[in-house]
Structures are given as structure tokens and as C-alpha cells.
Amino acid sequence: MRDAFARQITYLRVSLTERCNLKCFYCRPGEGKAPARDGLPLEALVRVIRAGAGIGIRKVRLTGGEPLMRPDVVEIVEALARISRIDDIALTTNGCLLPLRAAALKAAGLKRVNISLDSLRPDRFREITRNGEWSAAWAGVEAALAQGLHPVKLNVVVMRGINDDEVLAFARLAEGLPLHVRFIEIMPIGAGSGWAAARLVPADEIRRLIADCYGTLQPVKPAGGAGPARCWTVPGFAGSVGFIAPLSGYFCSACNRMRLTAAGTLRPCLCNGEEIDLAGALARGADEDEIRRILVRAIARKPQGHPEHEIIPVQDRLMSQIGG
């Protein structure tokens, strides 16, 4: 189905839970906040995805919080894999719990993973996450590679004065391993909305730094489908580097996604606070036809996007609540 701006909406990001085993300072709420909740239960989630498949949803990404904190995550993947016309099931995770689940997720029908990793230094990783062990996250990367959950992508939020000195170290990972390292501009969302501008490192600056080290980069098609990343490689590299630039590389005109929050609301645009209640309809026992009509209404209300080169700070929800 196309929205009011002729964009084909084929992608639904689903937050399985607001809970997370890490407490990254730019993402998680501080002490004293309301307790995090889980998303829609399995049966309701399947109804939503089945209805979405009927209007053109083909890709589902499971997010959080940390989606692997859902005890039934393998059963969720297995149920979604049985839905006709859903072609791609992916997962975004911090990797720490992945070694215990990777084989079962692969067998259930998971296609690929994105692993969020903002530092290769154990001490700095612990500071950013406020409680995480780098070795656990890296074990998740190794488990994803071992299970063939390709393409395995690393999501690196680059922050000036915090981890921007690790750009080349991350790029070197793609030299020897079939990893697709994506450098992401910090966005003013939730806990990070007040200081994101001061920490922003534009994607072009990161790309020039890598090119100065390795020479001319060769553009390549993004691994695993058409997304917002602009990807490059170096001859002889096993993987690639990519750049996601929501601020400096405006891509709203090609947006093909909606989000289903853990609160059970449909959020047509990450940077717009308008949400359409779905949980209430599900609680009333809405059938797939009614759910489909709600999805159609949400797609019709998807805005054109945020102003070019500017993102109005998102303060109505934290990123862990929206779905990373």
C-alpha cells in the first residue's frame, strides 16, 4: 500500500518490549521512571502481522528495548515465519543474550540480525551502557556469524568526544570479517534530545576519515535490502561500511516503514508524536479486517517527514519505548 506521498509501505518495526539488560545513557530512562513493559502478546502480534501482510507488509524487524528479553521470542519468530507473504524477519539486539538463542532463532526462521555496539573498548562499553560487559556483546556477534544470520550488521552510534576516536577500529572489522558496519548519526530522541546536536558527527566526516585511511571507497548495494544506509567497501574487504545520516542525509522521501510500539500503538513516523491506538481494538477482540483498516488509516496519516537537515527533538517517548 502507498501512503499519501506515493511511498510503498512494506516494512513494520515491532517493539517486543521496553525492557533492556543494558542502560545506555542516551537511550534508557533514568532512575525513578515508570517500569518498562512488554509489547503485544504472541496471538495479538500474529493477528497484526497477518493483517499487515494483506496490505503489503513484507518485512518485519523485531526490536525493543532488548527483544531477546522476551521469553517467547523464538516462538514469535516461528509464528511470523509461517505467515504467508512475510519475506524477511530480522532482529535488532545488543547481542549479549544472543549466544543462548542464536541457533533456535535461526531454526525458527530468523533471517538476519543487526547488533548495536558503540565501542570496542571494554571500559568505554561499560561506561556507555552503564552496566554492560563488552565480551558478552562480542560473543553475540560471533554467534550471529557462526549461525549464518547474514548479513550481520553492526550499528554504531557515533558521538563526538565519546567514541568518535574508534571509527577506524570499527572500519577495520569489515576488513577481516563479513560484517557490515553502519555508522549512525546521533538523533535528538528521548534522553539524548538535549545534547545530541553537540555530539553529532556528520556521516560525510566519518566517510572522509575512512577514505583518508584506506583510499577511495567503492559504493556497493546495501546488504540485506534497500534501507537508509549508503554503503561502501574497499577492495579486499570481507564486509562493508555504511552511513545512516538522518540529519545530514535526509531520506524521508524514501521511507517505507511504520513502527508498532510496545504500548500497542502504531507510529507512522519516528520523528512525529502522532500514534494510532491498536491495543484497544485488540483488547475488544478486533478481527483482521478491523486491524487492517486501522493499519490503512495509519499509513494514510504518515507525514511527509521532518524538515530537511533538521529533526525536531522527540521528547514524547524514549527510543526504547518507540522501538530502536
Side-chain angles (χ1 to χ4, degrees), residues 83-324:
I83 297 176
S84 175
R85 292 176 288 189
I86 295 299
D87 303 325
D88 189 6
I89 303 171
L91 178 83
T92 294
T93 174
N94 60 43
C96 296
L97 303 176
L98 192 55
L100 296 175
R101 298 282 189 87
L105 288 165
K106 173 73 172 181
L110 185 68
K111 301 293 186 183
R112 53 201 176 88
V113 293
N114 290 11
I115 298 176
S116 300
L117 187 68
D118 293 331
S119 180
L120 297 174
R121 292 174 42 180
D123 56 339
R124 181 176 288 170
F125 181 84
R126 192 175 299 111
E127 290 175 4
I128 292 173
T129 62
R130 296 190 292 192
N131 65 341
E133 292 297 328
W134 181 86
S135 59
W138 188 252
V141 176
E142 294 177 327
L145 291 171
Q147 291 299 325
L149 290 168
H150 295 299
V152 179
K153 300 177 183 179
L154 295 188
N155 290 347
V156 185
V157 177
V158 182
M159 297 165 282
R160 194 176 302 281
I162 294 177
N163 65 348
D164 54 326
D165 59 340
E166 295 189 64
V167 165
L168 291 179
F170 271 106
R172 279 193 292 272
L173 292 177
E175 183 174 5
L177 295 170
L179 292 171
H180 303 275
V181 183
R182 291 126 53 88
F183 299 99
I184 304 173
E185 293 179 345
I186 184 72
M187 295 179 67
I189 293 177
S193 60
W195 55 265
R199 298 295 186 185
L200 173 68
V201 183
D204 280 349
E205 180 180 330
I206 302 170
R207 185 172 59 84
R208 285 195 299 271
L209 179 63
I210 297 172
D212 286 346
C213 178
Y214 288 102
T216 302
L217 302 179
Q218 297 181 350
V220 293
K221 183 179 179 180
R230 298 294 176 263
C231 298
W232 309 77
T233 192
V234 174
F237 268 38
S240 68
V241 294
F243 309 94
I244 299 179
L247 280 168
S248 66
Y250 188 74
F251 48 73
C252 292
S253 59
C255 184
N256 64 345
R257 68 193 61 187
M258 289 199 305
R259 283 175 161 80
L260 175 60
T261 72
T265 59
L266 288 165
R267 192 174 178 108
C269 174
L270 170 63
C271 297
N272 185 298
E274 182 180 16
E275 295 181 356
I276 295 89
D277 179 52
L278 193 56
L282 290 164
R284 294 192 306 272
D287 61 16
E288 285 185 28
D289 285 340
E290 182 178 352
I291 296 169
R292 193 174 296 115
R293 288 193 293 271
I294 296 172
L295 290 167
V296 167
R297 185 164 74 248
I299 291 173
R301 290 165 66 173
K302 184 175 173 67
Q304 188 170 13
H306 62 79
E308 192 166 356
H309 303 305
E310 177 187 7
I311 294 181
I312 307 302
V314 178
Q315 297 177 324
D316 63 309
R317 288 189 187 273
L318 298 159
M319 192 61 166
S320 58
Q321 296 171 320
I322 297 170

